[in-house]
Each structure stands twice: as C-alpha cells, then as structure tokens.
Amino acid sequence: MRLRSFRAVLDECLAAVQRGDSVEDCLRRYPKQADRLRPLLILAERIRRTPAVAPRPWAYSTAWELVRQRAAGLRSGRHRFHVSLNYGAWLRPAAVALSMVLALMTGAGATAFAAQSSLPDSPLYGVKLATEDVRLWFVLDESLKADILLDQSDERIDEITTMVRQGKQVPDNVLSALRDRNERAAGIIADRPQETELRARILHQSESQEKLLIALWPDVEESARKGYTEAVAVLHNTRLSGAGALGSALQAEELAGGVLSISGLAQQISPGVWSVGGVGGVEVRVDERTIGSRELAPGATASFVVARSSRGILQALSLSKIETNALPSGALVSGAVEEVTDQGVRVAGQWIPFTPDTLLKLNLKQGQRVEITLDS
C-alpha cells in the first residue's frame, strides 16, 4: 500500500485553483485533507487575484547581480545552496509576505518561548504548535522536514504520557497534532524510498506509538475519541505500508468502539474470520490489515489486539503467539504490592519488570492494591 503524500495533493489543487477551479471544488475532491488544504488554498486564491507588481529597475538589476554572484560562487565550488520551486512563481509573494509578518511578530517571542513547556491543557499550547509550524515553513529540504516532523510527533507522545501520569485525560488537540505530524512525515517518506533510515525510524516509531495509544483508550476524553481513532489509524496504516501490505487501509470508524486485548485458542471459521477462545469464542476478523497474520495457524494460542467498530465488528490489528510457559500479553495481575524497585514490582508473588514503555499512572507503594496489565 502506497501512501499518497499531502504535497502531491496540494500541488494538484494549486494547479486546479490556478486554472480557475474554486477552493470548495478542491476540498470536495479530498475531504480527508480538507482541514489542512483550506487555509493554503484560500491564500493561493488571494495571491492569484492580486495584481502583478513590476519591480523597480534598480531592484531588478540588484537582484540579478546577486544571482550572478551566487552562480559564480557555485561554479567555483565556494558556495552551495538549494533552490525550491514547489508551488510556482505565482506563490512566491507569499514567502515575502510571511517574512514581513514574522518580522512584525518578534515582540511575541517571550510568549512563544514560554509556550515551549506547555501541555495540551494550557492556553499557550496553541502557540507552541504554531511555533513548530513556523519552523517548518523555512525548511526547504523535505527529508529534513520529515525528520523534524517525527521529532514533533515524539514530543506529542511525551505530552500525552505526562498528562496521563498527572491523572489527566488526553484531549483532542494533542491527538490531532500527533496525527498531523505523523501523516505529513509519512507522506514525505513515501515519496522518497531511498531514505532508508527515515523509513526505519517512522516504522519503529509508529509501532511504539500505536501500542501506547491502544493502552490509553480509557484515558482519552469522550470528545477526543474521533481524534484518537484517526491518530491510531494513521499509525497502523504506516506500519502496514512498511510491511508491504497491499490491501485496504484501516479506517478510523473501525476503531470507534474502542480497543481491547483477547487471548486464547484460535480456530478459523471462514476466510478472514477466526474464533478466539475455543468453542463459542469471540469472532474476529484477521486479514492483510492484521500485523502478524501470517504467523497464525488453526489451533494456535495467540493474543490479539482488536479494534471494535461502531457496529460491534471486531478487527484484529495485530497478533502474537503465546508461549505456553509465559503470561499472555494483555493479562492482568492484581493484588497487593510486595516490593517496588527502579527495575520492577512484585505483585501477589509475581515479579513484573519495568521496560522503557512502562506507563505508571500512579506512584506505587508497598501494601497498595493494584491491577497491572502486561504487554509483550
């Protein structure tokens, strides 16, 4: 499955607007990207209608002299530079206007600086996200831009885990920002198969982020459930593209009913449908969108991470075989805390080690009764 980049969609819409198509016509053709396309297309339409301004002769000659100096330096090997002509000459005034706006906004630098440590429940969080976007406007190298987007995506995950550890629910703004960063990075990397390191990074990052978000379904605000499903779907589809899956992508609606873990004996009922848990077990769809589906054989004991749609249909997102002498992924261990160290915790006689992905929602104390969900 190949992810079409947002840049390709934007280029097509910009060309359509230049031909005279309306902004709304373009948005109807790409409803999933409409929120990101709208402000850019409105700006493009305004620029298209702006009368052309002829430069003064002295400015024209000065500009060409600078170009000739740069060209001479490039030929002699003294200078290296990159030229970006992404959206045509008719959009270049936008860059000039943007530079002027930023120059006028320098007085707000203290606010932007203060916003850098803000969390999604802070009034300054929107300033923090806007500052990140401004930084990206001036990055001309697309591979570097993808790398920065992945860094910003990691920052969103840090914000989410901090919120949960503070006992707060996850709001929609951070989930939407996470999906946006991941989707944009995936689009850039999809157009650059030669960037193997970036591709490896986004696949590893998508896997760890998907696992974390799946564990946090109960901690997401009710009003943020749509943003949550979209964020998880983008992560899962990125993982599928890395696995070479050519089938249809996971849709956000298929996660609308939440996510859960199911473990047990698996038997195939029909192509793409399995019963988990033996006779009278739960019916689960297992297809090319299920990571690890090739490892599943009738009669195997496996653990499934399952998405429930709004209609109650269960779609397996991933699965793993269970060793008979190991506790299954998703199992619950409950009881009194007997021992706590930096390396792990002992509950009801069971030693449970901590990993880098361990998410503690409270400070564990000896004698405290807890319930711990195990992961693979």
Side-chain angles (χ1 to χ4, degrees):
M1 178 184 64
R2 184 178 184 277
L3 297 174
R4 189 180 184 196
S5 69
F6 176 76
R7 177 179 173 180
V9 173
L10 177 59
D11 283 341
E12 181 179 325
C13 289
L14 288 171
V17 170
Q18 193 174 19
R19 290 194 304 268
D21 289 5
S22 71
V23 170
E24 293 304 320
D25 285 341
C26 293
L27 297 178
R28 278 193 292 270
R29 286 200 290 271
Y30 298 101
K32 291 184 178 180
Q33 291 91 356
D35 290 343
R36 291 174 61 193
L37 286 171
R38 187 183 303 277
L40 296 173
L41 296 182
I42 290 175
L43 173 62
E45 176 66 10
R46 289 176 179 173
I47 292 173
R48 187 178 70 86
R49 294 179 179 179
T50 301
V53 178
R56 296 177 182 178
W58 66 267
Y60 184 84
S61 59
T62 300
W64 270 111
E65 180 58 28
L66 289 174
V67 170
R68 283 191 288 270
Q69 291 175 8
R70 280 294 184 90
L74 183 63
R75 285 193 296 269
S76 65
R78 293 195 303 270
H79 303 288
R80 297 181 65 186
F81 62 93
H82 299 281
V83 178
S84 175
L85 301 177
N86 290 343
Y87 306 123
W90 61 282
L91 255 182
R92 290 176 198 156
V96 177
L98 178 61
S99 299
M100 295 174 64
V101 170
L102 290 175
L104 294 173
M105 289 176 61
T106 52
T111 301
F113 180 79
Q116 296 314 298
S117 59
S118 63
L119 289 175
D121 59 345
S122 167
L124 291 177
Y125 188 67
V127 177
K128 179 179 183 177
L129 296 181
T131 303
E132 291 182 354
D133 283 332
V134 168
R135 178 189 177 190
L136 288 168
W137 290 347
F138 297 96
V139 178
L140 303 182
D141 185 295
E142 291 296 301
S143 296
L144 176 58
K145 183 178 293 186
D147 203 38
I148 295 173
L149 284 165
L150 292 177
D151 287 341
Q152 294 177 356
S153 171
D154 265 342
E155 176 71 13
R156 302 291 84 80
I157 290 296
D158 289 342
E159 293 162 356
I160 288 172
T161 54
T162 300
M163 293 279 291
V164 173
R165 285 169 178 157
Q166 293 180 358
K168 302 174 182 178
Q169 285 198 305
V170 182
D172 181 65
N173 56 356
V174 65
L175 292 167
S176 298
L178 175 68
R179 174 197 57 77
D180 172 75
R181 271 56 174 175
N182 285 331
E183 196 170 47
R184 289 159 67 184
I188 293 172
I189 295 171
D191 283 343
R192 288 164 176 75
Q194 74 277 9
E195 296 286 355
T196 55
E197 290 187 9
L198 270 179
R199 186 170 180 80
R201 179 186 178 186
I202 195 173
L203 293 178
H204 175 76
Q205 191 164 307
S206 296
E207 180 178 1
S208 61
Q209 289 186 2
E210 183 182 5
K211 286 183 177 179
L212 176 67
L213 289 189
I214 285 173
L216 292 181
W217 169 260
D219 299 284
V220 176
E221 290 181 357
E222 190 66 34
S223 60
R225 292 292 169 86
K226 183 175 184 295
Y228 172 91
T229 59
E230 292 172 346
V232 174
V234 168
L235 290 168
H236 191 76
N237 291 332
T238 299
R239 295 180 65 193
L240 289 177
S241 69
L246 300 176
S248 58
L250 181 73
Q251 302 301 315
E253 190 278 333
E254 295 179 271
L255 293 140
V259 290
L260 62 152
S261 296
I262 302 175
S263 301
L265 190 68
Q267 295 290 353
Q268 189 168 17
I269 300 174
S270 61
V273 180
W274 291 68
S275 174
V276 182
V279 179
V282 179
E283 288 192 7
V284 177
R285 289 185 178 179
V286 179
D287 53 28
E288 68 275 7
R289 297 176 297 173
T290 305
I291 295 174
S293 60
R294 296 177 183 177
E295 302 175 8
L296 187 61
T301 299
S303 177
F304 298 80
V305 176
V306 178
R308 187 196 303 274
S309 73
S310 57
R311 296 179 294 168
I313 298 174
L314 300 181
Q315 168 67 45
L317 302 179
S318 62
L319 65 90
S320 58
K321 289 184 180 179
I322 299 175
E323 300 294 334
T324 56
N325 60 350
L327 285 169
S329 173
L332 294 177
V333 176
S334 59
V337 176
E338 299 172 355
E339 179 185 0
V340 182
T341 71
D342 293 337
Q343 287 73 44
V345 60
R346 189 179 304 280
V347 178
Q350 174 70 44
W351 176 254
I352 303 169
F354 294 150
T355 72
D357 295 325
T358 298
L359 181 63
L360 296 176
K361 298 182 183 179
L362 45 82
N363 293 322
L364 297 177
K365 299 179 181 178
Q366 192 169 359
Q368 184 179 22
R369 293 196 63 83
V370 297
E371 188 175 81
I372 298 177
T373 302
L374 301 183
D375 199 355
S376 56

